[in-house]
């Protein structure tokens, strides 16, 4: 099973993440600072790419009730603020009785691979469902 | 080198992360839903634990100008909303000419290991510093 969606990190979302995290690293806001270090402009927080992963895992694959066991991300190339990107998720392995899934994640933009990684998720059964099965 | 700081994820920060990420997984908000699945109450987003890592890497170790190369997190036990936690970071390896650092991360709360992982960071030199050295 594979699902994908497009997203764009706007300046407003960058400001919201700065506020929520307290991470005021100027590489995410200051064009001169970012260009001095070889980037075309301010680059999106890795933490905001992971917020997209959070949306995907928590709402769609596997969805509501999902708990993260582990997350691994490699950040290959920077994503620029305002640039349209795509997050793709594919289930690589499932252990149905325990609700465990290994999900492969890929973020790309403009033909570039931005980031890739894997999440292991658990989908605990509600107690009422467990009791009904006993 | 090791640094550590305490943090507490409040309901307000949970709501802000829900808004920024679009992740409305009820395990993070609905006490009945979370208890049905074996937790003591709504649990903190993994993405918010990573927002704390973002603050640490982007402001302190290595600090401003830092870029993530990779991040690996294992989520061992849930952190409850409103619970005081500690994030500790320790440099395990450095490659000074390239500004590469491997940083070990540990999050704990109330004597429990919440999460642990590793970040690989790069601290690119500004062009003006590179030109001055040539």
């Amino acid at each position: 099973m594979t699902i994908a969606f497009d997203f764009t990190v706007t300046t407003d979302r960058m400001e919201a993440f700065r506020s929520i995290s307290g991470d005021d690293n100027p590489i995410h806001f200051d064009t001169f600072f970012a260009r001095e270090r070889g980037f075309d402009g301010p680059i999106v927080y890795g933490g905001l790419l992971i917020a997209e992963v959070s949306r995907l895992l928590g709402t769609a694959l596997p969805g509501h009730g999902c708990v993260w066991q582990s997350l691994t991300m490699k950040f290959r190339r920077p994503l620029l603020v305002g640039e349209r990107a795509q997050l793709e998720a594919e289930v690589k392995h499932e252990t149905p009785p325990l609700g465990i899934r290994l999900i492969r994640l890929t973020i790309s933009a403009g033909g570039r691979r931005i980031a890739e990684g894997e999440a292991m998720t658990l989908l605990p059964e509600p107690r009422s469902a467990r009791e009904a099965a006993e």
Side-chain angles (χ1 to χ4, degrees), chain A:
Chain A
M1 184 186 177
T2 300
I3 68 166
F5 66 76
D6 289 349
F7 67 94
T8 302
V9 178
T10 60
T11 303
D12 282 355
R13 289 184 69 209
M14 291 292 286
E15 289 290 350
F17 189 82
R18 167 153 69 173
S19 168
I20 209 177
S21 66
D23 181 355
D24 63 359
N25 184 347
I27 210 155
H28 302 301
F29 299 97
D30 182 329
T31 301
F32 177 80
F33 186 98
R35 287 190 176 158
E36 269 276 285
R37 283 152 184 83
F39 301 104
D40 290 338
I43 62 174
V44 169
Y45 286 103
L48 267 177
L49 300 179
I50 291 170
E52 294 294 334
V53 170
S54 184
R55 172 152 76 110
L56 190 146
L57 299 178
T59 69
L61 184 66
H64 284 181
C66 152
V67 178
W68 297 7
Q69 300 288 99
S70 66
L71 178 72
T72 301
M73 293 293 284
K74 287 184 181 171
F75 301 93
R76 299 288 190 194
R77 288 165 188 274
L79 179 65
L80 297 177
V81 177
E83 198 178 9
R84 193 171 183 78
Q86 187 182 58
L87 170 59
E88 188 181 294
E90 182 186 3
V91 176
K92 299 302 284 183
H93 188 75
E94 290 190 78
T95 309
L98 300 172
I100 295 173
R101 284 175 182 80
L102 176 64
I103 297 168
R104 175 98 191 126
L105 303 158
T106 309
I107 297 173
S108 51
R112 288 141 41 225
R113 177 70 58 98
I114 302 296
E116 59 199 357
E118 281 179 350
M120 186 83 83
T121 64
L122 190 65
L123 196 63
E125 279 216 325
R127 191 185 305 138
S128 47
R130 287 199 307 274
E131 285 167 1
E134 278 164 9

